[in-house]
PDB file of all heavy atoms in Angstrom:
ATOM      1  N   LEU A  99      38.324-124.678   4.399  1.00 96.00           N
ATOM      2  CA  LEU A  99      37.900-125.788   5.256  1.00 96.00           C
ATOM      3  C   LEU A  99      38.365-127.129   4.684  1.00 96.00           C
ATOM      4  O   LEU A  99      38.219-127.406   3.493  1.00 96.00           O
ATOM      5  CB  LEU A  99      36.379-125.781   5.415  1.00 96.00           C
ATOM      6  CG  LEU A  99      35.803-124.537   6.104  1.00 96.00           C
ATOM      7  CD1 LEU A  99      34.288-124.569   6.085  1.00 96.00           C
ATOM      8  CD2 LEU A  99      36.317-124.400   7.525  1.00 96.00           C
ATOM      9  N   GLY A 100      38.960-127.937   5.554  1.00 96.00           N
ATOM     10  CA  GLY A 100      39.464-129.246   5.137  1.00 96.00           C
ATOM     11  C   GLY A 100      40.855-129.204   4.535  1.00 96.00           C
ATOM     12  O   GLY A 100      41.382-130.227   4.107  1.00 96.00           O
ATOM     13  N   ARG A 101      41.471-127.999   4.504  1.00 96.00           N
ATOM     14  CA  ARG A 101      42.763-127.858   3.834  1.00 96.00           C
ATOM     15  C   ARG A 101      43.902-127.647   4.829  1.00 96.00           C
ATOM     16  O   ARG A 101      43.697-127.330   6.000  1.00 96.00           O
ATOM     17  CB  ARG A 101      42.724-126.653   2.865  1.00 96.00           C
ATOM     18  CG  ARG A 101      41.643-126.726   1.801  1.00 96.00           C
ATOM     19  CD  ARG A 101      41.821-127.921   0.876  1.00 96.00           C
ATOM     20  NE  ARG A 101      43.092-127.889   0.167  1.00 96.00           N
ATOM     21  CZ  ARG A 101      43.283-127.285  -1.002  1.00 96.00           C
ATOM     22  NH1 ARG A 101      42.290-126.662  -1.594  1.00 96.00           N
ATOM     23  NH2 ARG A 101      44.468-127.333  -1.586  1.00 96.00           N
ATOM     24  N   VAL A 102      45.132-127.805   4.335  1.00 97.00           N
ATOM     25  CA  VAL A 102      46.340-127.524   5.117  1.00 97.00           C
ATOM     26  C   VAL A 102      47.117-126.466   4.345  1.00 97.00           C
ATOM     27  O   VAL A 102      47.449-126.667   3.172  1.00 97.00           O
ATOM     28  CB  VAL A 102      47.213-128.789   5.296  1.00 97.00           C
ATOM     29  CG1 VAL A 102      48.409-128.487   6.185  1.00 97.00           C
ATOM     30  CG2 VAL A 102      46.397-129.933   5.875  1.00 97.00           C
ATOM     31  N   VAL A 103      47.380-125.316   4.999  1.00 97.00           N
ATOM     32  CA  VAL A 103      48.055-124.215   4.311  1.00 97.00           C
ATOM     33  C   VAL A 103      49.285-123.783   5.113  1.00 97.00           C
ATOM     34  O   VAL A 103      49.389-124.055   6.310  1.00 97.00           O
ATOM     35  CB  VAL A 103      47.115-122.997   4.097  1.00 97.00           C
ATOM     36  CG1 VAL A 103      45.968-123.354   3.184  1.00 97.00           C
ATOM     37  CG2 VAL A 103      46.596-122.451   5.428  1.00 97.00           C
ATOM     38  N   ASP A 104      50.201-123.069   4.431  1.00 95.00           N
ATOM     39  CA  ASP A 104      51.357-122.510   5.130  1.00 95.00           C
ATOM     40  C   ASP A 104      50.989-121.116   5.647  1.00 95.00           C
ATOM     41  O   ASP A 104      49.881-120.623   5.371  1.00 95.00           O
ATOM     42  CB  ASP A 104      52.590-122.512   4.207  1.00 95.00           C
ATOM     43  CG  ASP A 104      52.498-121.483   3.084  1.00 95.00           C
ATOM     44  OD1 ASP A 104      51.516-120.711   3.043  1.00 95.00           O
ATOM     45  OD2 ASP A 104      53.403-121.456   2.234  1.00 95.00           O
ATOM     46  N   PRO A 105      51.864-120.440   6.384  1.00 96.00           N
ATOM     47  CA  PRO A 105      51.501-119.132   6.951  1.00 96.00           C
ATOM     48  C   PRO A 105      51.212-118.042   5.924  1.00 96.00           C
ATOM     49  O   PRO A 105      50.693-116.988   6.283  1.00 96.00           O
ATOM     50  CB  PRO A 105      52.732-118.762   7.794  1.00 96.00           C
ATOM     51  CG  PRO A 105      53.339-120.068   8.164  1.00 96.00           C
ATOM     52  CD  PRO A 105      53.144-120.930   6.957  1.00 96.00           C
ATOM     53  N   LEU A 106      51.541-118.269   4.645  1.00 93.00           N
ATOM     54  CA  LEU A 106      51.212-117.290   3.608  1.00 93.00           C
ATOM     55  C   LEU A 106      49.910-117.643   2.893  1.00 93.00           C
ATOM     56  O   LEU A 106      49.535-116.999   1.913  1.00 93.00           O
ATOM     57  CB  LEU A 106      52.361-117.184   2.596  1.00 93.00           C
ATOM     58  CG  LEU A 106      53.682-116.638   3.164  1.00 93.00           C
ATOM     59  CD1 LEU A 106      54.791-116.754   2.139  1.00 93.00           C
ATOM     60  CD2 LEU A 106      53.514-115.197   3.625  1.00 93.00           C
ATOM     61  N   GLY A 107      49.238-118.702   3.377  1.00 94.00           N
ATOM     62  CA  GLY A 107      47.959-119.093   2.794  1.00 94.00           C
ATOM     63  C   GLY A 107      48.084-119.978   1.570  1.00 94.00           C
ATOM     64  O   GLY A 107      47.092-120.249   0.887  1.00 94.00           O
ATOM     65  N   LYS A 108      49.312-120.472   1.290  1.00 94.00           N
ATOM     66  CA  LYS A 108      49.496-121.350   0.124  1.00 94.00           C
ATOM     67  C   LYS A 108      49.228-122.793   0.541  1.00 94.00           C
ATOM     68  O   LYS A 108      49.732-123.245   1.575  1.00 94.00           O
ATOM     69  CB  LYS A 108      50.930-121.231  -0.413  1.00 94.00           C
ATOM     70  CG  LYS A 108      51.231-119.861  -0.993  1.00 94.00           C
ATOM     71  CD  LYS A 108      52.703-119.745  -1.359  1.00 94.00           C
ATOM     72  CE  LYS A 108      53.040-118.331  -1.820  1.00 94.00           C
ATOM     73  NZ  LYS A 108      54.486-118.121  -1.908  1.00 94.00           N
ATOM     74  N   PRO A 109      48.447-123.537  -0.256  1.00 96.00           N
ATOM     75  CA  PRO A 109      48.131-124.930   0.130  1.00 96.00           C
ATOM     76  C   PRO A 109      49.367-125.820   0.098  1.00 96.00           C
ATOM     77  O   PRO A 109      50.202-125.708  -0.799  1.00 96.00           O
ATOM     78  CB  PRO A 109      47.105-125.362  -0.926  1.00 96.00           C
ATOM     79  CG  PRO A 109      47.270-124.413  -2.067  1.00 96.00           C
ATOM     80  CD  PRO A 109      47.792-123.135  -1.506  1.00 96.00           C
ATOM     81  N   ILE A 110      49.489-126.701   1.100  1.00 95.00           N
ATOM     82  CA  ILE A 110      50.626-127.636   1.136  1.00 95.00           C
ATOM     83  C   ILE A 110      50.118-129.074   1.269  1.00 95.00           C
ATOM     84  O   ILE A 110      50.838-129.952   1.716  1.00 95.00           O
ATOM     85  CB  ILE A 110      51.598-127.292   2.292  1.00 95.00           C
ATOM     86  CG1 ILE A 110      50.856-127.122   3.619  1.00 95.00           C
ATOM     87  CG2 ILE A 110      52.405-126.066   1.970  1.00 95.00           C
ATOM     88  CD1 ILE A 110      51.766-126.887   4.819  1.00 95.00           C
ATOM     89  N   ASP A 111      48.852-129.286   0.874  1.00 93.00           N
ATOM     90  CA  ASP A 111      48.273-130.633   0.980  1.00 93.00           C
ATOM     91  C   ASP A 111      48.088-131.297  -0.379  1.00 93.00           C
ATOM     92  O   ASP A 111      47.553-132.401  -0.471  1.00 93.00           O
ATOM     93  CB  ASP A 111      46.938-130.584   1.723  1.00 93.00           C
ATOM     94  CG  ASP A 111      45.961-129.571   1.114  1.00 93.00           C
ATOM     95  OD1 ASP A 111      46.289-128.986   0.061  1.00 93.00           O
ATOM     96  OD2 ASP A 111      44.885-129.368   1.704  1.00 93.00           O
ATOM     97  N   GLY A 112      48.518-130.604  -1.459  1.00 91.00           N
ATOM     98  CA  GLY A 112      48.439-131.199  -2.791  1.00 91.00           C
ATOM     99  C   GLY A 112      47.027-131.328  -3.337  1.00 91.00           C
ATOM    100  O   GLY A 112      46.779-132.112  -4.248  1.00 91.00           O
ATOM    101  N   LYS A 113      46.087-130.530  -2.802  1.00 92.00           N
ATOM    102  CA  LYS A 113      44.690-130.632  -3.267  1.00 92.00           C
ATOM    103  C   LYS A 113      44.282-129.464  -4.160  1.00 92.00           C
ATOM    104  O   LYS A 113      43.101-129.166  -4.300  1.00 92.00           O
ATOM    105  CB  LYS A 113      43.744-130.702  -2.057  1.00 92.00           C
ATOM    106  CG  LYS A 113      43.919-131.964  -1.218  1.00 92.00           C
ATOM    107  CD  LYS A 113      42.947-131.971  -0.055  1.00 92.00           C
ATOM    108  CE  LYS A 113      43.134-133.204   0.819  1.00 92.00           C
ATOM    109  NZ  LYS A 113      42.267-133.168   2.019  1.00 92.00           N
ATOM    110  N   GLY A 114      45.264-128.789  -4.733  1.00 92.00           N
ATOM    111  CA  GLY A 114      44.947-127.710  -5.668  1.00 92.00           C
ATOM    112  C   GLY A 114      44.848-126.349  -5.001  1.00 92.00           C
ATOM    113  O   GLY A 114      44.961-126.227  -3.784  1.00 92.00           O
ATOM    114  N   PRO A 115      44.626-125.292  -5.826  1.00 93.00           N
ATOM    115  CA  PRO A 115      44.609-123.916  -5.302  1.00 93.00           C
ATOM    116  C   PRO A 115      43.386-123.633  -4.428  1.00 93.00           C
ATOM    117  O   PRO A 115      42.393-124.370  -4.458  1.00 93.00           O
ATOM    118  CB  PRO A 115      44.588-123.055  -6.576  1.00 93.00           C
ATOM    119  CG  PRO A 115      44.000-123.941  -7.629  1.00 93.00           C
ATOM    120  CD  PRO A 115      44.396-125.341  -7.286  1.00 93.00           C
ATOM    121  N   ILE A 116      43.467-122.540  -3.664  1.00 93.00           N
ATOM    122  CA  ILE A 116      42.378-122.113  -2.778  1.00 93.00           C
ATOM    123  C   ILE A 116      41.765-120.833  -3.341  1.00 93.00           C
ATOM    124  O   ILE A 116      42.484-119.884  -3.677  1.00 93.00           O
ATOM    125  CB  ILE A 116      42.909-121.880  -1.342  1.00 93.00           C
ATOM    126  CG1 ILE A 116      43.194-123.237  -0.684  1.00 93.00           C
ATOM    127  CG2 ILE A 116      41.921-121.086  -0.499  1.00 93.00           C
ATOM    128  CD1 ILE A 116      43.971-123.161   0.597  1.00 93.00           C
ATOM    129  N   ALA A 117      40.445-120.818  -3.451  1.00 93.00           N
ATOM    130  CA  ALA A 117      39.739-119.629  -3.940  1.00 93.00           C
ATOM    131  C   ALA A 117      39.517-118.677  -2.768  1.00 93.00           C
ATOM    132  O   ALA A 117      38.817-119.011  -1.818  1.00 93.00           O
ATOM    133  CB  ALA A 117      38.404-120.029  -4.564  1.00 93.00           C
ATOM    134  N   ALA A 118      40.152-117.500  -2.835  1.00 93.00           N
ATOM    135  CA  ALA A 118      40.063-116.541  -1.724  1.00 93.00           C
ATOM    136  C   ALA A 118      38.808-115.693  -1.855  1.00 93.00           C
ATOM    137  O   ALA A 118      38.532-115.127  -2.916  1.00 93.00           O
ATOM    138  CB  ALA A 118      41.295-115.655  -1.710  1.00 93.00           C
ATOM    139  N   GLU A 119      38.030-115.597  -0.783  1.00 94.00           N
ATOM    140  CA  GLU A 119      36.885-114.684  -0.747  1.00 94.00           C
ATOM    141  C   GLU A 119      37.342-113.289  -0.336  1.00 94.00           C
ATOM    142  O   GLU A 119      36.709-112.295  -0.674  1.00 94.00           O
ATOM    143  CB  GLU A 119      35.834-115.196   0.249  1.00 94.00           C
ATOM    144  CG  GLU A 119      35.142-116.471  -0.209  1.00 94.00           C
ATOM    145  CD  GLU A 119      34.260-117.075   0.885  1.00 94.00           C
ATOM    146  OE1 GLU A 119      33.894-116.361   1.837  1.00 94.00           O
ATOM    147  OE2 GLU A 119      33.942-118.271   0.779  1.00 94.00           O
ATOM    148  N   GLU A 120      38.434-113.238   0.414  1.00 94.00           N
ATOM    149  CA  GLU A 120      38.943-111.957   0.918  1.00 94.00           C
ATOM    150  C   GLU A 120      40.409-112.131   1.293  1.00 94.00           C
ATOM    151  O   GLU A 120      40.818-113.196   1.730  1.00 94.00           O
ATOM    152  CB  GLU A 120      38.132-111.554   2.159  1.00 94.00           C
ATOM    153  CG  GLU A 120      38.407-110.159   2.676  1.00 94.00           C
ATOM    154  CD  GLU A 120      37.584-109.801   3.911  1.00 94.00           C
ATOM    155  OE1 GLU A 120      36.898-110.675   4.465  1.00 94.00           O
ATOM    156  OE2 GLU A 120      37.648-108.634   4.316  1.00 94.00           O
ATOM    157  N   TRP A 121      41.189-111.047   1.098  1.00 95.00           N
ATOM    158  CA  TRP A 121      42.585-111.037   1.557  1.00 95.00           C
ATOM    159  C   TRP A 121      42.661-110.135   2.778  1.00 95.00           C
ATOM    160  O   TRP A 121      42.169-109.007   2.753  1.00 95.00           O
ATOM    161  CB  TRP A 121      43.521-110.525   0.450  1.00 95.00           C
ATOM    162  CG  TRP A 121      43.752-111.553  -0.620  1.00 95.00           C
ATOM    163  CD1 TRP A 121      42.925-111.872  -1.648  1.00 95.00           C
ATOM    164  CD2 TRP A 121      44.889-112.412  -0.750  1.00 95.00           C
ATOM    165  NE1 TRP A 121      43.470-112.880  -2.409  1.00 95.00           N
ATOM    166  CE2 TRP A 121      44.678-113.230  -1.885  1.00 95.00           C
ATOM    167  CE3 TRP A 121      46.075-112.575  -0.022  1.00 95.00           C
ATOM    168  CZ2 TRP A 121      45.591-114.187  -2.313  1.00 95.00           C
ATOM    169  CZ3 TRP A 121      46.990-113.526  -0.446  1.00 95.00           C
ATOM    170  CH2 TRP A 121      46.750-114.324  -1.578  1.00 95.00           C
ATOM    171  N   LEU A 122      43.258-110.639   3.844  1.00 95.00           N
ATOM    172  CA  LEU A 122      43.301-109.889   5.094  1.00 95.00           C
ATOM    173  C   LEU A 122      44.738-109.718   5.575  1.00 95.00           C
ATOM    174  O   LEU A 122      45.545-110.649   5.464  1.00 95.00           O
ATOM    175  CB  LEU A 122      42.516-110.643   6.173  1.00 95.00           C
ATOM    176  CG  LEU A 122      41.005-110.690   5.950  1.00 95.00           C
ATOM    177  CD1 LEU A 122      40.431-111.967   6.501  1.00 95.00           C
ATOM    178  CD2 LEU A 122      40.338-109.501   6.601  1.00 95.00           C
ATOM    179  N   PRO A 123      45.087-108.533   6.124  1.00 95.00           N
ATOM    180  CA  PRO A 123      46.448-108.340   6.648  1.00 95.00           C
ATOM    181  C   PRO A 123      46.682-109.211   7.876  1.00 95.00           C
ATOM    182  O   PRO A 123      45.772-109.361   8.704  1.00 95.00           O
ATOM    183  CB  PRO A 123      46.479-106.849   7.013  1.00 95.00           C
ATOM    184  CG  PRO A 123      45.049-106.461   7.203  1.00 95.00           C
ATOM    185  CD  PRO A 123      44.242-107.345   6.301  1.00 95.00           C
ATOM    186  N   VAL A 124      47.879-109.792   7.995  1.00 95.00           N
ATOM    187  CA  VAL A 124      48.140-110.679   9.137  1.00 95.00           C
ATOM    188  C   VAL A 124      48.184-109.904  10.445  1.00 95.00           C
ATOM    189  O   VAL A 124      47.809-110.419  11.494  1.00 95.00           O
ATOM    190  CB  VAL A 124      49.449-111.497   8.960  1.00 95.00           C
ATOM    191  CG1 VAL A 124      49.327-112.469   7.818  1.00 95.00           C
ATOM    192  CG2 VAL A 124      50.651-110.602   8.793  1.00 95.00           C
ATOM    193  N   GLU A 125      48.611-108.647  10.402  1.00 93.00           N
ATOM    194  CA  GLU A 125      48.607-107.800  11.599  1.00 93.00           C
ATOM    195  C   GLU A 125      47.414-106.858  11.509  1.00 93.00           C
ATOM    196  O   GLU A 125      47.291-106.089  10.560  1.00 93.00           O
ATOM    197  CB  GLU A 125      49.900-106.978  11.687  1.00 93.00           C
ATOM    198  CG  GLU A 125      51.143-107.811  11.882  1.00 93.00           C
ATOM    199  CD  GLU A 125      51.428-108.129  13.347  1.00 93.00           C
ATOM    200  OE1 GLU A 125      50.552-107.855  14.195  1.00 93.00           O
ATOM    201  OE2 GLU A 125      52.509-108.659  13.618  1.00 93.00           O
ATOM    202  N   ALA A 126      46.523-106.934  12.479  1.00 94.00           N
ATOM    203  CA  ALA A 126      45.349-106.059  12.504  1.00 94.00           C
ATOM    204  C   ALA A 126      45.026-105.724  13.947  1.00 94.00           C
ATOM    205  O   ALA A 126      45.271-106.537  14.846  1.00 94.00           O
ATOM    206  CB  ALA A 126      44.157-106.752  11.838  1.00 94.00           C
ATOM    207  N   PRO A 127      44.472-104.536  14.211  1.00 94.00           N
ATOM    208  CA  PRO A 127      44.135-104.193  15.597  1.00 94.00           C
ATOM    209  C   PRO A 127      43.014-105.075  16.126  1.00 94.00           C
ATOM    210  O   PRO A 127      42.120-105.477  15.375  1.00 94.00           O
ATOM    211  CB  PRO A 127      43.701-102.720  15.504  1.00 94.00           C
ATOM    212  CG  PRO A 127      43.333-102.509  14.070  1.00 94.00           C
ATOM    213  CD  PRO A 127      44.159-103.452  13.267  1.00 94.00           C
ATOM    214  N   ALA A 128      43.070-105.386  17.422  1.00 95.00           N
ATOM    215  CA  ALA A 128      42.009-106.176  18.053  1.00 95.00           C
ATOM    216  C   ALA A 128      40.740-105.340  18.144  1.00 95.00           C
ATOM    217  O   ALA A 128      40.794-104.106  18.137  1.00 95.00           O
ATOM    218  CB  ALA A 128      42.461-106.609  19.445  1.00 95.00           C
ATOM    219  N   ALA A 129      39.593-106.018  18.220  1.00 95.00           N
ATOM    220  CA  ALA A 129      38.314-105.323  18.339  1.00 95.00           C
ATOM    221  C   ALA A 129      38.304-104.479  19.613  1.00 95.00           C
ATOM    222  O   ALA A 129      38.640-104.987  20.687  1.00 95.00           O
ATOM    223  CB  ALA A 129      37.175-106.331  18.367  1.00 95.00           C
ATOM    224  N   PRO A 130      37.932-103.187  19.529  1.00 95.00           N
ATOM    225  CA  PRO A 130      37.887-102.369  20.747  1.00 95.00           C
ATOM    226  C   PRO A 130      36.774-102.821  21.692  1.00 95.00           C
ATOM    227  O   PRO A 130      35.855-103.535  21.284  1.00 95.00           O
ATOM    228  CB  PRO A 130      37.616-100.952  20.213  1.00 95.00           C
ATOM    229  CG  PRO A 130      37.061-101.133  18.847  1.00 95.00           C
ATOM    230  CD  PRO A 130      37.593-102.426  18.317  1.00 95.00           C
ATOM    231  N   VAL A 131      36.868-102.398  22.935  1.00 94.00           N
ATOM    232  CA  VAL A 131      35.929-102.845  23.972  1.00 94.00           C
ATOM    233  C   VAL A 131      34.484-102.554  23.578  1.00 94.00           C
ATOM    234  O   VAL A 131      33.592-103.374  23.807  1.00 94.00           O
ATOM    235  CB  VAL A 131      36.270-102.163  25.323  1.00 94.00           C
ATOM    236  CG1 VAL A 131      35.231-102.494  26.377  1.00 94.00           C
ATOM    237  CG2 VAL A 131      37.634-102.598  25.806  1.00 94.00           C
ATOM    238  N   ILE A 132      34.250-101.413  22.953  1.00 95.00           N
ATOM    239  CA  ILE A 132      32.886-100.987  22.617  1.00 95.00           C
ATOM    240  C   ILE A 132      32.235-101.930  21.596  1.00 95.00           C
ATOM    241  O   ILE A 132      31.016-102.012  21.493  1.00 95.00           O
ATOM    242  CB  ILE A 132      32.897 -99.518  22.097  1.00 95.00           C
ATOM    243  CG1 ILE A 132      31.532 -98.863  22.245  1.00 95.00           C
ATOM    244  CG2 ILE A 132      33.412 -99.421  20.676  1.00 95.00           C
ATOM    245  CD1 ILE A 132      31.182 -98.474  23.655  1.00 95.00           C
ATOM    246  N   GLU A 133      33.069-102.669  20.832  1.00 95.00           N
ATOM    247  CA  GLU A 133      32.525-103.572  19.806  1.00 95.00           C
ATOM    248  C   GLU A 133      32.353-104.995  20.323  1.00 95.00           C
ATOM    249  O   GLU A 133      31.923-105.875  19.581  1.00 95.00           O
ATOM    250  CB  GLU A 133      33.459-103.582  18.578  1.00 95.00           C
ATOM    251  CG  GLU A 133      33.474-102.272  17.812  1.00 95.00           C
ATOM    252  CD  GLU A 133      34.404-102.310  16.607  1.00 95.00           C
ATOM    253  OE1 GLU A 133      34.957-103.394  16.324  1.00 95.00           O
ATOM    254  OE2 GLU A 133      34.576-101.263  15.964  1.00 95.00           O
ATOM    255  N   ARG A 134      32.683-105.219  21.599  1.00 95.00           N
ATOM    256  CA  ARG A 134      32.647-106.584  22.135  1.00 95.00           C
ATOM    257  C   ARG A 134      31.362-106.843  22.904  1.00 95.00           C
ATOM    258  O   ARG A 134      30.817-105.950  23.538  1.00 95.00           O
ATOM    259  CB  ARG A 134      33.851-106.830  23.049  1.00 95.00           C
ATOM    260  CG  ARG A 134      35.179-106.732  22.307  1.00 95.00           C
ATOM    261  CD  ARG A 134      36.342-107.094  23.192  1.00 95.00           C
ATOM    262  NE  ARG A 134      37.607-106.925  22.475  1.00 95.00           N
ATOM    263  CZ  ARG A 134      38.602-107.788  22.501  1.00 95.00           C
ATOM    264  NH1 ARG A 134      38.506-108.890  23.198  1.00 95.00           N
ATOM    265  NH2 ARG A 134      39.708-107.572  21.820  1.00 95.00           N
ATOM    266  N   GLY A 135      30.921-108.108  22.855  1.00 94.00           N
ATOM    267  CA  GLY A 135      29.790-108.544  23.661  1.00 94.00           C
ATOM    268  C   GLY A 135      30.289-109.346  24.849  1.00 94.00           C
ATOM    269  O   GLY A 135      31.476-109.628  24.975  1.00 94.00           O
ATOM    270  N   SER A 136      29.369-109.728  25.728  1.00 93.00           N
ATOM    271  CA  SER A 136      29.778-110.500  26.909  1.00 93.00           C
ATOM    272  C   SER A 136      29.970-111.968  26.542  1.00 93.00           C
ATOM    273  O   SER A 136      29.283-112.500  25.666  1.00 93.00           O
ATOM    274  CB  SER A 136      28.736-110.376  28.017  1.00 93.00           C
ATOM    275  OG  SER A 136      27.482-110.823  27.554  1.00 93.00           O
ATOM    276  N   VAL A 137      30.920-112.612  27.210  1.00 93.00           N
ATOM    277  CA  VAL A 137      31.200-114.034  26.979  1.00 93.00           C
ATOM    278  C   VAL A 137      30.234-114.836  27.847  1.00 93.00           C
ATOM    279  O   VAL A 137      30.443-114.993  29.045  1.00 93.00           O
ATOM    280  CB  VAL A 137      32.673-114.359  27.323  1.00 93.00           C
ATOM    281  CG1 VAL A 137      32.960-115.843  27.153  1.00 93.00           C
ATOM    282  CG2 VAL A 137      33.615-113.537  26.457  1.00 93.00           C
ATOM    283  N   ASP A 138      29.144-115.314  27.240  1.00 91.00           N
ATOM    284  CA  ASP A 138      28.101-115.981  28.029  1.00 91.00           C
ATOM    285  C   ASP A 138      27.579-117.272  27.402  1.00 91.00           C
ATOM    286  O   ASP A 138      26.675-117.899  27.933  1.00 91.00           O
ATOM    287  CB  ASP A 138      26.928-115.019  28.280  1.00 91.00           C
ATOM    288  CG  ASP A 138      26.404-114.402  26.990  1.00 91.00           C
ATOM    289  OD1 ASP A 138      26.782-114.896  25.901  1.00 91.00           O
ATOM    290  OD2 ASP A 138      25.629-113.434  27.060  1.00 91.00           O
ATOM    291  N   THR A 139      28.146-117.659  26.258  1.00 92.00           N
ATOM    292  CA  THR A 139      27.712-118.900  25.602  1.00 92.00           C
ATOM    293  C   THR A 139      28.784-119.962  25.788  1.00 92.00           C
ATOM    294  O   THR A 139      29.951-119.708  25.494  1.00 92.00           O
ATOM    295  CB  THR A 139      27.473-118.669  24.084  1.00 92.00           C
ATOM    296  OG1 THR A 139      26.665-117.505  23.922  1.00 92.00           O
ATOM    297  CG2 THR A 139      26.805-119.864  23.443  1.00 92.00           C
TER     298      THR A 139
END
């Protein structure tokens, strides 16, 4: 939050390194229909 990163997650704003809580693959399957709720908010 508050940072500017490149598509590999490397900071390009000169504010130092980013502490990763989790590493996630850029390609992942979308949530299946059974896991979705209704859009009502």
Side-chain angles (χ1 to χ4, degrees):
L99 297 174
R101 302 298 300 271
V102 184
V103 296
D104 71 4
L106 295 172
K108 294 173 185 168
I110 50 176
D111 53 5
K113 295 181 182 175
I116 286 168
E119 291 171 19
E120 188 180 8
W121 284 80
L122 291 148
V124 294
E125 295 274 10
V131 174
I132 202 75
E133 292 180 5
R134 297 185 183 224
S136 58
V137 177
D138 53 13
T139 311

